[in-house]
Amino acid sequence: MPRNTQILLDNRPRGQASPDNFRLVVGDTPALRDGQVLVRHHYLSLDPYMRGRMNEGKSYAACQPLGEVMIGGTVGEVAESRHPAYAVGDKVVGMGGWQEWSVVDGDAPGMLRKVDTRHVPLSYYLGAVGMPGVTAWYGLVRIIDPRPGQTLVVSAASGAVGSAFGALAKARGCRVVGIAGGPDKCRYVTEELGFDACIDHRAHGDLAAMSKALKQACPDGIDGHFENVGGYILDAVLLRANAFARVALCGMIAGYDGQPLPLANPALILVNRMRIEGFIVSEHMEVWPEALAELGGLVASGRLRPRETIAQGLAAAPQAFLDLLQGRNFGKQLVKLI
């Protein structure tokens, strides 16, 4: 069996995460037992939710244990199989974590899924046609539930979730406004993803400036919002929200370092009779087939053109992850492992 390079969570962050929180180790891969599959990972997904899991404390999911392989989605190829449903060479997506190889129980629910790479690149199953894409689909379809002509806003618009949200919303006839960091990302959002407008949060770095920018970009108000960031961006959206607006609350990256994120004017939720709902996409597995089918169609037809930032080699994962948290990546952040 191959030697396996892994990255473990060595200690918990105090404030901002740092490379010192991680530890790289090399060990033996265990021999397969009946029903198991050996997967060689090609790509590792890096996602903002991982920062929350590094903390110790109450959350929607168990915290990342110290001394164990960091959690993370992976795509790769079956290298050896002792399970009848998987053959050597099958391309698969799973939760293999921050490591080059994984031994997976082929019968474990949700741990491994075969994918078709004839029309969709393998790496896209970690982004546009994977968990981030389904996250966008669920927030849009099941929470915001838009009507043609309505105005929708999404923060972190150039990322894996935001880009999928834009394509899905435009397919439903909505006016879509993104919020992203920097002129290059805003150009990508409007020129390649087809958003109607994009606001550079780096040029509008406080509540007053963001509120003014949203007023210009959304002259008819905001009917639906997909929130990935929190903080003053959410406060500004609430100021422009129409009556009965809906907010899908997916991420609060502005508060992942443990600082509280108070709302400036929560009375607006009552005044506008708004619906704000947080969700975790892994709790809604029943929608994944429908969502993945639509997302795959958007990619295959060219209506969703996701971008990727790819770090090379597992040792690069910690710094790439920290860059992601600071918004230095462009589109979906991946680590290439082969």
Side-chain angles (χ1 to χ4, degrees):
M1 299 294 283
R3 298 280 283 172
N4 188 17
T5 302
Q6 304 171 313
I7 290 183
L8 318 180
L9 180 64
D10 187 66
N11 56 83
R12 301 202 185 280
R14 296 183 179 180
Q16 289 190 354
S18 78
D20 294 336
N21 298 133
F22 305 96
R23 177 161 52 96
L24 187 146
V25 300
V26 179
D28 293 324
T29 303
L32 293 188
R33 300 193 302 268
D34 287 343
Q36 291 184 327
V37 177
L38 176 66
V39 179
R40 177 58 164 110
H41 301 154
H42 289 202
Y43 292 94
L44 164 68
S45 173
L46 299 179
D47 299 281
Y49 77 84
M50 296 171 177
R51 177 61 188 85
R53 298 285 287 271
M54 292 170 69
N55 295 333
E56 188 172 37
K58 183 179 179 182
S59 185
Y60 59 82
C63 64
Q64 166 71 40
L66 293 177
E68 295 189 11
V69 175
M70 275 289 294
I71 187 173
T74 51
V75 289
E77 183 174 338
V78 174
E80 184 179 344
S81 177
R82 297 186 63 178
H83 191 287
Y86 298 93
V88 172
D90 283 347
K91 301 299 190 296
V92 291
V93 58
M95 292 295 290
W98 292 29
Q99 56 184 344
E100 294 177 339
W101 301 80
S102 63
V103 173
V104 184
D105 180 352
D107 291 322
M111 288 302 294
L112 204 63
R113 176 171 57 91
K114 289 191 286 188
V115 295
D116 185 349
T117 58
R118 289 174 296 177
H119 304 292
V120 176
L122 181 61
S123 61
Y124 282 21
Y125 286 102
L126 292 175
V129 194
M131 180 271 291
V134 180
T135 298
W137 190 97
Y138 187 89
L140 175 70
V141 176
R142 294 301 174 90
I143 297 178
I144 296 175
D145 187 23
R147 300 292 178 266
Q150 291 188 329
T151 297
L152 310 184
V153 175
V154 57
S155 56
S158 68
V161 175
S163 58
F165 180 90
L168 292 164
K170 291 302 294 182
R172 287 161 173 78
C174 297
R175 174 178 170 78
V176 188
V177 176
I179 300 172
D184 289 343
K185 290 183 178 180
C186 285
R187 277 193 296 271
Y188 164 65
V189 167
T190 55
E191 295 176 8
E192 294 190 39
L193 295 178
F195 281 57
D196 296 282
C198 188
I199 299 168
D200 181 357
H201 67 75
R202 294 179 181 171
H204 303 86
D206 57 37
L207 176 57
M210 180 58 68
S211 299
K212 182 178 180 180
L214 281 171
K215 184 176 183 179
Q216 293 175 344
C218 308
D220 296 324
I222 297 170
D223 301 298
H225 175 59
F226 193 104
E227 184 58 270
N228 289 302
V229 178
Y232 79 93
I233 290 177
L234 180 56
D235 287 327
V237 168
L238 294 183
L239 286 171
R240 294 297 302 155
N242 290 329
F244 307 106
R246 292 84 60 203
V247 175
L249 190 58
C250 168
M252 301 288 279
I253 197 171
Y256 279 176
D257 290 336
Q259 298 301 314
L261 291 176
L263 283 174
N265 194 352
L268 290 170
I269 301 170
L270 173 60
V271 170
N272 290 319
R273 288 86 78 204
M274 296 177 66
R275 175 188 177 190
I276 299 181
E277 182 175 338
F279 72 99
I280 307 300
V281 73
S282 60
E283 296 177 347
H284 304 282
M285 298 305 294
E286 74 283 356
V287 309
W288 281 59
E290 181 181 358
L292 290 172
E294 181 175 358
L295 291 159
L298 289 172
V299 168
S301 67
R303 287 177 291 169
L304 173 53
R305 290 181 283 181
R307 281 205 187 181
E308 298 173 327
T309 297
I310 300 177
Q312 298 293 326
L314 186 63
Q319 188 57 54
F321 176 61
L322 301 178
D323 289 345
L324 164 71
L325 296 178
Q326 296 298 320
R328 298 189 183 107
N329 66 305
F330 204 131
K332 176 65 188 174
Q333 179 66 61
L334 301 168
V335 181
K336 189 174 183 180
L337 302 176
I338 194 170

